[in-house]
Structures are given as structure tokens and as C-alpha cells.
């Protein structure tokens, strides 16, 4: 269960009453803002892990047929099922498809329902997912998605049209931190990433919006495997208080009707900042080493600006 401190001022780009929960109408209205976004496929991916998505769109590869392996074939395209069944080595052949599927994964675990500036992390992730979905269908591509929480993951197969977008938006507008509260065996981030690898087709453009808490080597391995076959972007969602706690004074946290008070100390603030930097560096290193795009998603930032590649707002501490 995550604690939620008192919220600050909401950015002008979003409804002031939707800092904690986003409405379906608000997500639908983002279709207008998405008109100026265009995610083109870069082809040869850069190793730079920065806020640059300006070259996203292009053609993906679709499975065509299986044939016997010949010297020079890419070993990554081996068809192990046919090979095991026939006893002879086979490889998969692919053909270009007119459009590439876009698959959007959104973290809805309890830790995402948090903010001290701007909107909840869950709200920012939902808005960014909506913008990507609208831009995708506006450019004629298929869109699908995944929403995961402690009680499990739900996936939508990539399809054309507004109906698929609306199904995804309805899932995002219904997000509630209590959904997984009574789960006996909580669904983890690693579980969600493993499911994502199985659902995202090779050649897809895949977005993951998460705070990446509790990402283990198993989850990293799923993302690495996914990056080998898809164009992957990781949106690291965070709030100012996660990055730096005050080192003096009393902090008040609220979660529904519950309240928690903590006395801040320099030692606690330093340990908190160190833990956050370790998590951030882990995800950035993963992106840098495997040519995965990295997006720094600050809760006080405008989601359109983040997707366009604008830098996050400068945070000044008191």
C-alpha cells in the first residue's frame, strides 16, 4: 500500500480536478493533442537513452513461412518447434507488413497512485498511453495494450480503429489502487513483463509506462528479449518526492482516511535519494546497453511535451 501526500498545483494542460484519477472523457479529448505526434521507426536504433521519439514509425515484420535452415540464416529466427518435431533445423521467414502494431503497457500497481506535484503517476501514465494510442490509429496503424496491477494483467490484441482505443481508455479510466489489495498471490512487475513478451508481436512498437519498482533480473531479461524483436521504449514515471525527501521537518502522508507522520532527517533523505538513483540508473543502463528508448516522465510535466522530446521541468528544492 502506497502513501499519498497532499498534492500540489496541477499543470494547466490538464483538468485541475483530475490529478488523482482521470476520466474517460478526458482521455478521449486527448485525441486532438495527439494529432501533432508522429512516432516513426528509426530503423537502426541509437544507443542513446534520451527523450527522443521523433523517428518512430515504419514497417514491421510479419511471419510468412518456415523452411529448412541454410548457412547464413539468422539464428535468432530459428523455428524450434518445427525443428523439434521434424528433427531437422528450420528457420522462420518474415515479410514486411503495411503497418506496424503498437502495443502499450501501463503499470497500475499501488505505487503508481502517488504524487506531490502535478498528477498521480497513474494519471500521467494513462494520459501518455492515450496519446500514443490516438496517434497510432490516426496514422493508420493497429494498437493494443496491457494494463497490469497486483491482481493480474489484462491485454488487448492490436487492432485497427477507435473501438480498440476506447477499450484501452476504459481500462485506464477505471484504474483503482484497491483492485489488487486482496490478491493472495500478487501479480508482480516481472510477471507483467513476461506476459508482455508473449503478447507483443515481433516488429511491434512497444511502450512501457511504469515506475519500475521491484524490477528483478527476471523482468530485465523479459525486456531484453522483447527489445531484440520489437522497438521498445521505457517511460520511467516518477515524482519529485521520490527523487529527494526534505532533510528536516515533519512529513504528512495520506492514503484515503489514513494518515502517517514522519520526522525527516538528513540521513533518511540521503538513503532515500540513493535508493531512487539506483533504481533510475538500473533502468537507464538497461536502455543504454540494449538500444532501448528511455523517457523521463515527471509527474509535473506535460505528457505531450514528454512524448515530443522536451526536457522535464527543472526542480528547485527549498
Amino acid at each position: 500500500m502506497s502513501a499519498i501526500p497532499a498534492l500540489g498545483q496541477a499543470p494547466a494542460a490538464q483538468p485541475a480536478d483530475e490529478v488523482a484519477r482521470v476520466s474517460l472523457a478526458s482521455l478521449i479529448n486527448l485525441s486532438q493533442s495527439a494529432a501533432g505526434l508522429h512516432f516513426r521507426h528509426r530503423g537502426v536504433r541509437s544507443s542513446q537513452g534520451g527523450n527522443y521519439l521523433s523517428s518512430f514509425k515504419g514497417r514491421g515484420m510479419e511471419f510468412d513461412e518456415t523452411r529448412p535452415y541454410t548457412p547464413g540464416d539468422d539464428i535468432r529466427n530459428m523455428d524450434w518447434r518445427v525443428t523439434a518435431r521434424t528433427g531437422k533445423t528450420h528457420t522462420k521467414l518474415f515479410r514486411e507488413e503495411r503497418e506496424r502494431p503498437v502495443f502499450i503497457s501501463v503499470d497500475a500497481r499501488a505505487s503508481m497512485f502517488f504524487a506531490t506535484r502535478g498528477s498521480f503517476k497513474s494519471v500521467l501514465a494513462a494520459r501518455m498511453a492515450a496519446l500514443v494510442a490516438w496517434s497510432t490509429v490516426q496514422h493508420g496503424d493497429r494498437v493494443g495494450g496491457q494494463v497490469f496491477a497486483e491482481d493480474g494483467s489484462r491485454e488487448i490484441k492490436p487492432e485497427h480503429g477507435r473501438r480498440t482505443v476506447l477499450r484501452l481508455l476504459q481500462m485506464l479510466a477505471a484504474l483503482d489502487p484497491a483492485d489488487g489489495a486482496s490478491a493472495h498471490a500478487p501479480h508482480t512487475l516481472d510477471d507483467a513483463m513476461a506476459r508482455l513478451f508473449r503478447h507483443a508481436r515481433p516488429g511491434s512498437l512497444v511502450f512501457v509506462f511504469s515506475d519500475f519498482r521491484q524490477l528483478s533480473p527476471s523482468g530485465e531479461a523479459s525486456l531484453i528479449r522483447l527489445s531484440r524483436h520489437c522497438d521498445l521504449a521505457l517511460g520511467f514515471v516518477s515524482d519529485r518526492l521520490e527523487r529527494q525527501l526534505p532533510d528536516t521537518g515533519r512529513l504528512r502522508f495520506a492514503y484515503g482516511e489514513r494518515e502517517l507522520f514522519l520526522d525527516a532527517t538528513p540521513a533518511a533523505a540521503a538513503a532515500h535519494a540513493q535508493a531512487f538513483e539506483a533504481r533510475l540508473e538500473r533502468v537507464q543502463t538497461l536502455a543504454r546497453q540494449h538500444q532501448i528508448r528511455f523517457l523521463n516522465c515527471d509527474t509535473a510535466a506535460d505528457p505531450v511535451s514528454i512524448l515530443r522530446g522536451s526536457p522535464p521541468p527543472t526542480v528547485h528544492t527549498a
Side-chain angles (χ1 to χ4, degrees):
M1 182 178 296
S2 61
I4 302 175
L7 292 173
Q9 188 69 27
Q14 67 187 35
D17 60 343
E18 293 195 12
V19 295
R21 189 164 186 169
V22 67
S23 68
L24 177 59
S26 177
L27 295 177
I28 292 175
N29 288 339
L30 285 174
S31 63
Q32 300 176 6
S33 300
L37 297 173
H38 195 189
F39 309 125
R40 297 176 314 192
H41 177 42
R42 285 191 293 202
V44 178
R45 289 178 289 178
S46 168
S47 61
Q48 180 176 2
N51 291 355
Y52 300 99
L53 299 183
S54 59
S55 58
F56 258 121
K57 175 158 171 84
R59 295 185 176 181
M61 303 301 293
E62 188 173 47
F63 175 72
D64 189 17
E65 62 177 327
T66 296
R67 65 161 170 75
Y69 174 85
T70 59
D73 287 342
D74 192 338
I75 193 172
R76 294 175 298 181
N77 295 332
M78 297 287 290
D79 193 328
W80 298 111
R81 290 185 179 180
V82 175
T83 298
R85 186 172 67 250
T86 63
K88 296 182 180 180
T89 308
H90 282 70
T91 187
K92 297 178 181 178
L93 295 182
F94 298 87
R95 58 182 172 84
E96 285 192 335
E97 54 185 359
R98 292 184 178 180
E99 74 284 329
R100 68 178 343 206
V102 176
F103 204 89
I104 309 162
S105 176
V106 178
D107 188 346
R109 294 175 298 160
S111 63
M112 293 291 287
F113 293 82
F114 176 91
T116 60
R117 299 291 188 276
S119 61
F120 275 21
K121 294 189 291 181
S122 58
V123 171
L124 177 64
R127 289 196 173 101
M128 296 185 69
L131 286 165
V132 173
W134 283 124
S135 175
T136 299
V137 297
Q138 288 169 2
H139 290 95
D141 292 331
R142 287 172 290 160
V143 64
Q146 173 194 59
V147 177
F148 63 93
E150 285 85 353
D151 64 339
S153 295
R154 291 169 290 172
E155 286 84 19
I156 297 176
K157 180 180 178 181
E159 294 180 352
H160 288 287
R162 289 172 54 90
R163 179 175 299 180
T164 305
V165 177
L166 292 176
R167 287 180 58 199
L168 178 60
L169 301 190
Q170 288 171 343
M171 291 168 59
L172 296 173
L175 295 183
D176 189 324
D179 286 346
S182 61
H184 297 290
H187 190 69
T188 67
L189 175 62
D190 295 342
D191 295 332
M193 295 302 96
R195 287 178 62 93
L196 178 62
F197 173 71
R198 295 195 296 269
H199 282 83
R201 296 177 56 189
S204 298
L205 171 55
V206 180
F207 288 84
V208 180
F209 296 113
S210 173
D211 59 11
F212 294 97
R213 286 181 178 271
Q214 302 174 333
L215 178 67
S216 78
S218 174
E220 289 188 19
S222 294
L223 290 172
I224 292 170
R225 292 197 301 269
L226 186 64
S227 71
R228 292 171 180 162
H229 303 286
C230 299
D231 202 355
L232 179 60
L234 305 180
F236 187 94
V237 187
S238 66
D239 177 78
R240 169 184 171 177
L241 194 68
E242 292 181 293
R243 299 188 293 273
Q244 184 174 6
L245 279 175
D247 57 9
T248 59
R250 170 160 283 202
L251 305 178
R252 172 185 172 272
F253 294 83
Y255 186 85
E257 297 180 354
R258 299 175 58 186
E259 289 186 343
L260 175 66
F261 293 89
L262 295 176
D263 292 320
T265 66
H272 181 85
Q274 184 177 12
F276 175 83
E277 287 299 326
R279 175 159 52 98
L280 174 61
E281 176 61 25
R282 183 175 188 175
V283 178
Q284 288 180 321
T285 300
L286 175 70
R288 184 168 55 250
Q289 291 180 345
H290 298 281
Q291 299 184 7
I292 299 170
R293 297 177 178 86
F294 177 83
L295 287 169
N296 186 9
C297 307
D298 186 289
T299 56
D302 172 52
V304 175
S305 298
I306 295 174
L307 290 171
R308 284 178 175 167
S310 301
T314 301
V315 175
H316 300 284
T317 57

